[in-house]
Amino acid sequence: MEQRVVFLSFSSLLLLSFSGSVDAYKNYTVGDSLGWYDTTVKSSVDYQKWADGKNFSLGDFLIFNTDTNHSVVQTYNFTTYKLCDYDNSGDNDTVEWSSANPSNTLTQGATVAVPLLKEGPNYFFSGDYDGEQCDNGQHFKITVSHGKGLPDSLKDPSDQAPAPNAADYDSTPDTVVPFDFNNPHDQDTDVKKDSGSISLYGKFLDMKLNGVLLLLGIVYMF
């Protein structure tokens, strides 16, 4: 009977060791189904409420579903964010991922994917109409943790220096990402493949162990 208990425990431990999964990088759709607009267009938007409680990490993407009449500005400068002022921002701490054209009467839908490249406070707002859209609710702030670190696809190949101190929020990271990048790479693919292989291997081992247990049960009966 002791042998049977030992075999069952060993089988259970194997299954537990192979059943774990690895957390993947995430894509967050800003505002969920409401998209990225000011309160004059979508009166119920509350982007800070949407962001609060979420765990953002390096390598994650924020997906902004908006139109060509609203812009996406990312800054590490709290003053720029507080003033909703992109025009007077510094080049080394603020990026405009999409630019609206108020003079264009034809408004089209747009999806903008923004990678999270730097730890610490990240601020987002729409900088058009002299900050009017930002004043009308189109802004929020988040804190980005290190997580698993940046994936290779977002790292700067020429940057071999150690990672910057997480407390240094004065400048944008050196990583260059195309401004028309609107299809975030699914960093989950390799992880899922490996996880699937491990799972199948675990099932295979468990089947063999169950076969052994069955034979032991037959021998024990006779």
Side-chain angles (χ1 to χ4, degrees), residues 110-142:
T111 296
V112 182
V114 177
L116 300 180
L117 304 175
K118 189 180 176 81
E119 293 178 60
N122 281 237
Y123 308 98
F124 298 87
F125 65 95
S126 177
D128 293 304
Y129 297 95
D130 295 323
E132 182 179 334
Q133 292 176 339
C134 175
D135 289 334
N136 285 326
Q138 203 170 0
H139 63 269
F140 66 98
K141 59 182 178 180
I142 64 174

Side-chain angles (χ1 to χ4, degrees), residues 118-219:
K118 189 180 176 81
E119 293 178 60
N122 281 237
Y123 308 98
F124 298 87
F125 65 95
S126 177
D128 293 304
Y129 297 95
D130 295 323
E132 182 179 334
Q133 292 176 339
C134 175
D135 289 334
N136 285 326
Q138 203 170 0
H139 63 269
F140 66 98
K141 59 182 178 180
I142 64 174
T143 299
V144 178
S145 65
H146 183 79
K148 297 192 299 180
L150 286 174
D152 291 340
S153 59
L154 291 178
K155 290 179 181 177
D156 183 356
S158 63
D159 185 10
Q160 301 299 326
N165 191 308
D168 179 16
Y169 308 135
D170 295 332
S171 61
T172 55
D174 294 332
T175 303
V176 178
V177 178
F179 278 66
D180 60 351
F181 189 85
N182 61 5
N183 254 326
H185 175 66
D186 185 3
Q187 302 294 332
D188 220 358
T189 304
D190 294 336
V191 174
K192 288 181 178 177
K193 288 181 179 178
D194 293 342
S195 178
S197 299
I198 292 173
S199 177
L200 287 174
Y201 184 60
K203 290 180 180 178
F204 173 72
L205 286 177
D206 190 54
M207 288 175 62
K208 293 188 68 174
L209 286 169
N210 285 335
V212 172
L213 290 174
L214 181 61
L215 288 175
L216 287 174
I218 294 173
V219 171

Side-chain angles (χ1 to χ4, degrees), residues 15 20 73 87 98 105 134 162 173 175 185 222:
L15 284 178
V73 177
D87 293 333
S98 69
T105 57
C134 175
T175 303
H185 175 66
F222 291 98

Side-chain angles (χ1 to χ4, degrees), residues 1-220:
M1 181 63 68
E2 288 183 0
Q3 279 188 327
R4 186 180 182 86
V5 172
V6 170
F7 274 117
L8 285 173
S9 300
F10 180 66
S11 176
S12 300
L13 286 173
L14 273 177
L15 284 178
L16 287 173
S17 65
F18 285 113
S19 62
S21 61
V22 181
D23 290 336
Y25 296 102
K26 298 179 180 178
N27 295 338
Y28 294 93
T29 301
V30 177
D32 296 324
S33 61
L34 293 175
W36 177 240
Y37 298 96
D38 61 274
T39 54
T40 64
V41 179
K42 298 285 183 72
S43 59
S44 60
V45 295
D46 186 339
Y47 295 108
Q48 196 56 59
K49 182 178 180 180
W50 170 85
D52 290 343
K54 291 181 172 61
N55 297 316
F56 301 99
S57 303
L58 290 176
D60 290 344
F61 275 83
L62 299 188
I63 312 299
F64 294 80
N65 291 320
T66 185
D67 59 33
T68 52
N69 200 37
H70 296 78
S71 69
V72 179
V73 177
Q74 178 186 27
T75 184
Y76 306 103
N77 187 316
F78 178 74
T79 301
T80 297
Y81 170 72
K82 198 67 177 176
L83 296 175
C84 296
D85 186 10
Y86 170 71
D87 293 333
N88 294 315
S89 62
D91 292 337
N92 65 333
D93 59 22
T94 304
V95 178
E96 186 175 47
W97 291 94
S98 69
S99 177
N101 183 5
S103 64
N104 189 351
T105 57
L106 180 61
T107 301
Q108 298 178 331
T111 296
V112 182
V114 177
L116 300 180
L117 304 175
K118 189 180 176 81
E119 293 178 60
N122 281 237
Y123 308 98
F124 298 87
F125 65 95
S126 177
D128 293 304
Y129 297 95
D130 295 323
E132 182 179 334
Q133 292 176 339
C134 175
D135 289 334
N136 285 326
Q138 203 170 0
H139 63 269
F140 66 98
K141 59 182 178 180
I142 64 174
T143 299
V144 178
S145 65
H146 183 79
K148 297 192 299 180
L150 286 174
D152 291 340
S153 59
L154 291 178
K155 290 179 181 177
D156 183 356
S158 63
D159 185 10
Q160 301 299 326
N165 191 308
D168 179 16
Y169 308 135
D170 295 332
S171 61
T172 55
D174 294 332
T175 303
V176 178
V177 178
F179 278 66
D180 60 351
F181 189 85
N182 61 5
N183 254 326
H185 175 66
D186 185 3
Q187 302 294 332
D188 220 358
T189 304
D190 294 336
V191 174
K192 288 181 178 177
K193 288 181 179 178
D194 293 342
S195 178
S197 299
I198 292 173
S199 177
L200 287 174
Y201 184 60
K203 290 180 180 178
F204 173 72
L205 286 177
D206 190 54
M207 288 175 62
K208 293 188 68 174
L209 286 169
N210 285 335
V212 172
L213 290 174
L214 181 61
L215 288 175
L216 287 174
I218 294 173
V219 171
Y220 179 77

